[in-house]
Amino acid sequence: MFALLIFLSSTHICKQPATMAEEHVKVKMLCTSTVVPAVPTVKRSMFLSNLDLIWIPIANSHSVLFYKTNPEMEFTTVTDMLKRSLSSVLVDFYPVAGRLSTKASGETGRPEIDCNDGGVEFVEASIDMDIEDLEEDEFRHKSFFKELVPMRDGSKHENYDGPLFSVQVTGFRGGGICIGSSIHHVVADGSSFWHLMFCWAECCRGSPVSKKPEHMRTTFKREEKIDCATTNISFSAEEVVINNIEGAQIFKFVRDDLLTKDVEINVSKSEADKRRLLEFILKDQTEDLEICSFHFNEEMIEKLKERAGTSSSFVAVSAHFWICVTRAREVPDNEPVGFGMSANSRGRVKPPLPPTFLGNCICMGFAQTTAKQLLGQDIRFAATLIKELIKSCSSEGQVDNLIDWVDCRLGSGSPLPSLALEIIGGRYFVVAGNSPKFPVYELDYGWGKPLNAQIPTLNGVGAMMLFPGRDDGIDIHTRLPPRQMETLKQILMIIPD
């Protein structure tokens, strides 16, 4: 029997039943303006690669950063500084100030970004509480957090022509602000988004942009497209043959002519499969769901790495979370369970792209096994499977195969929403988003680093969003029905010795 080591210094910060104080917290919208680049930029249509297009049907990404400010500084002074610096940074990040043209038009005959200096939505608001109240409560998730972000969602509109980036700055009583943001995934992946936020913070402190974005989306523009009639790209599963994870599967984009009969399992979903999966997703979205964050300190992470047999903090924490959330959801033994992730491919494409590339350059993959197999093994099983998944997502040719896969699906008439459902995985799939390596707590707008970073909303049930801890370790945000969340709280922070 395993001994249990309980890390009392670790925390889980969850939404509690609403108190009277929380129910009466009011967020008041003061004004909305549009921030445009400080200097007019060249009007042009920007090519969207297939790595961008697959994100058109996906909901916007939202985040909130909390800051203490000088109580003597007027709120309008703070917002003026933020607007001026945002205007300056948009000169370099001009596609973010553009608009999405979803109609197949222009030279490419496909959706594009109209770089027209349409601007960024900037909302100013106030909240009738002190930021110290949230700080004392360790920024436990609150139902009103979603009111701290402009809840725009381009995926809900077939011909969305609103801003691609929206910001809300909310002032607290007695000083303190939060910066809520909403960005359309088509314009930026996680690396690009946090690069934008970092550069904005630089400008707000009075410094020039130290690392300007590179606009190189045409790198992924095909002069000659794949002949889909003779060579097909499948999103397929390969059986893993490594001893301790034998029988599990890794899903990736592979040319059919490179697959052997022994390992190829075509998983292209039928329309009926997609409808059933969509029904599951919509049902999950309408359930009463609770958002909770968990902090893994360095001591916990080192213990997990030792148990998992890995030097990677991401692998160790993700493997532990995958096991615990599967147990908390009481998944039937023979039900497929999976772990999905995306890998930053900037340094893996040929020629390599700089870290400052603005756009989407990530490749997705999934690992799958059964609940019985995952829960019947120790953590090394899950960790080894995730390590193999990382190798697969990072392998040479995956980005090219993904681009060709999208071409073939679009060429056959598959609409973009249907395309997204083909690679979304199953109902009991944990999908990891964000990264503990992003510079979240380096974003100093002149008032020091953030007190806390929050996810006001989260897509998917049992998904995990990873952030760096403020001082050390890793924070994980997830969303589950209350009963399942209560189970997760009881088991996630206990590390078997």
Side-chain angles (χ1 to χ4, degrees), residues 12 290 294 323-330 480-494:
H12 55 263
E290 181 179 339
F294 298 86
I323 292 168
C324 290
V325 81
T326 301
R327 197 179 302 279
R329 296 190 74 185
E330 300 178 340
L480 286 170
R483 187 176 66 82
Q484 295 176 10
M485 186 67 83
E486 194 59 38
T487 301
L488 186 66
K489 284 187 276 187
Q490 294 171 13
I491 63 177
L492 187 63
M493 311 313 285
I494 300 176

Side-chain angles (χ1 to χ4, degrees), residues 278-481:
L278 186 57
E279 288 171 4
F280 279 139
I281 293 170
L282 292 176
K283 178 179 182 295
D284 286 338
Q285 300 288 0
T286 56
E287 287 184 5
D288 180 22
L289 298 171
E290 181 179 339
I291 295 178
C292 182
S293 62
F294 298 86
H295 176 67
F296 289 81
N297 62 31
E298 291 295 343
E299 185 182 0
M300 287 188 74
I301 293 172
E302 288 303 314
K303 190 69 178 178
L304 285 171
K305 286 161 65 173
E306 180 183 343
R307 289 194 60 241
T310 179
S311 60
S312 166
S313 299
F314 170 80
V315 169
V317 172
S318 296
H320 179 64
F321 178 85
W322 184 17
I323 292 168
C324 290
V325 81
T326 301
R327 197 179 302 279
R329 296 190 74 185
E330 300 178 340
V331 182
D333 280 354
N334 296 322
E335 189 75 23
V337 294
F339 183 88
M341 59 164 286
S342 56
N344 181 359
S345 300
R346 285 164 172 77
R348 300 182 177 101
V349 296
K350 292 185 177 180
L353 292 174
T356 52
F357 166 82
L358 177 62
N360 287 280
C361 188
I362 52 180
C363 195
M364 294 83 69
F366 289 94
Q368 178 176 288
T369 183
T370 63
K372 182 178 181 179
Q373 192 173 23
L374 179 68
L375 301 181
Q377 310 278 344
D378 68 18
I379 191 175
R380 286 178 180 262
F381 174 86
T384 305
L385 190 49
I386 292 173
K387 283 192 284 188
E388 289 301 306
L389 176 61
I390 293 172
K391 289 181 186 177
S392 172
C393 288
S394 306
S395 62
E396 186 177 345
Q398 272 299 288
V399 170
D400 285 337
N401 287 347
L402 170 55
I403 291 171
D404 290 338
W405 180 82
V406 174
D407 273 338
C408 287
R409 291 301 183 272
L410 293 178
S412 66
S414 294
L416 283 170
S418 178
L419 203 65
L421 285 175
E422 279 201 48
I423 57 176
I424 202 170
R427 187 183 188 190
Y428 297 111
F429 274 49
V430 169
V431 179
N434 217 46
S435 170
K437 294 183 178 180
F438 288 151
V440 177
Y441 287 100
E442 296 175 31
L443 301 183
D444 179 1
Y445 289 83
W447 311 290
K449 67 182 183 179
L451 296 174
N452 189 259
Q454 281 289 329
I455 298 294
T457 60
L458 191 58
N459 298 313
V461 176
M464 62 183 296
M465 291 291 289
L466 297 100
F467 279 80
R470 187 176 192 269
D471 298 311
D472 74 345
I474 294 174
D475 290 340
I476 288 180
H477 301 254
T478 190
R479 187 176 76 153
L480 286 170

Side-chain angles (χ1 to χ4, degrees), residues 53-62 100 102 151-164 182-186 285 416-417 420 459:
L53 292 184
I54 56 176
W55 297 106
I56 286 181
I58 305 301
N60 285 28
S61 298
H62 305 101
L100 179 63
T102 55
M151 296 303 292
R152 285 189 171 273
D153 188 355
S155 69
K156 297 185 182 301
H157 304 277
E158 183 178 354
N159 295 310
Y160 178 74
D161 60 358
L164 297 174
S182 173
I183 192 162
H184 200 307
H185 210 315
V186 75
Q285 300 288 0
L416 283 170
N459 298 313

Side-chain angles (χ1 to χ4, degrees), residues 235-261:
F235 186 57
S236 301
E238 289 188 0
E239 294 280 352
V240 180
V241 295
I242 298 174
N243 286 339
N244 66 323
I245 55 172
E246 190 172 357
Q249 299 169 333
I250 301 287
F251 291 79
K252 59 183 179 180
F253 300 92
V254 186
R255 292 176 181 270
D256 283 354
D257 54 1
L258 298 181
L259 289 169
T260 68
K261 289 193 298 183

Side-chain angles (χ1 to χ4, degrees), residues 87-298:
S87 178
S88 295
V89 84
L90 288 176
V91 175
D92 292 314
F93 287 84
Y94 60 87
V96 175
R99 296 293 182 266
L100 179 63
S101 173
T102 55
K103 295 180 180 179
S105 59
E107 293 182 4
T108 63
R110 52 195 279 147
E112 301 170 326
I113 293 179
D114 182 8
C115 299
N116 60 2
D117 287 352
V120 169
E121 179 183 42
F122 194 99
V123 179
E124 298 171 55
S126 64
I127 185 169
D128 59 350
M129 71 179 302
D130 299 325
I131 198 167
E132 287 79 9
D133 294 337
L134 290 178
E135 193 174 13
E136 290 173 6
D137 198 38
E138 298 181 294
F139 289 93
R140 196 179 307 273
H141 195 276
K142 306 294 183 187
S143 58
F144 61 77
F145 279 4
K146 62 181 179 294
E147 298 179 51
L148 304 177
V149 175
M151 296 303 292
R152 285 189 171 273
D153 188 355
S155 69
K156 297 185 182 301
H157 304 277
E158 183 178 354
N159 295 310
Y160 178 74
D161 60 358
L164 297 174
F165 183 42
S166 298
V167 173
Q168 179 176 319
V169 181
T170 304
F172 288 81
R173 283 188 321 216
I177 63 166
C178 64
I179 301 175
S181 61
S182 173
I183 192 162
H184 200 307
H185 210 315
V186 75
V187 74
D189 60 14
S191 296
S192 288
F193 168 71
W194 292 110
H195 178 213
L196 163 65
M197 297 293 281
F198 184 85
C199 293
W200 180 15
E202 282 185 318
C203 286
C204 197
R205 296 196 310 269
S207 301
V209 172
S210 59
K211 297 179 180 179
K212 296 192 176 188
E214 299 286 346
H215 306 287
M216 305 170 66
R217 294 178 196 242
T218 53
T219 298
F220 302 113
K221 189 174 184 179
R222 291 284 193 263
E223 295 300 328
E224 294 184 10
K225 293 186 178 181
I226 184 176
D227 184 355
C228 299
T230 59
T231 304
N232 188 45
I233 305 291
S234 295
F235 186 57
S236 301
E238 289 188 0
E239 294 280 352
V240 180
V241 295
I242 298 174
N243 286 339
N244 66 323
I245 55 172
E246 190 172 357
Q249 299 169 333
I250 301 287
F251 291 79
K252 59 183 179 180
F253 300 92
V254 186
R255 292 176 181 270
D256 283 354
D257 54 1
L258 298 181
L259 289 169
T260 68
K261 289 193 298 183
D262 293 335
V263 299
E264 191 267 342
I265 304 172
N266 196 307
V267 295
S268 181
K269 294 183 177 70
S270 68
E271 290 304 315
D273 289 336
K274 293 173 191 173
R275 283 196 299 273
R276 282 193 292 271
L277 178 56
L278 186 57
E279 288 171 4
F280 279 139
I281 293 170
L282 292 176
K283 178 179 182 295
D284 286 338
Q285 300 288 0
T286 56
E287 287 184 5
D288 180 22
L289 298 171
E290 181 179 339
I291 295 178
C292 182
S293 62
F294 298 86
H295 176 67
F296 289 81
N297 62 31
E298 291 295 343

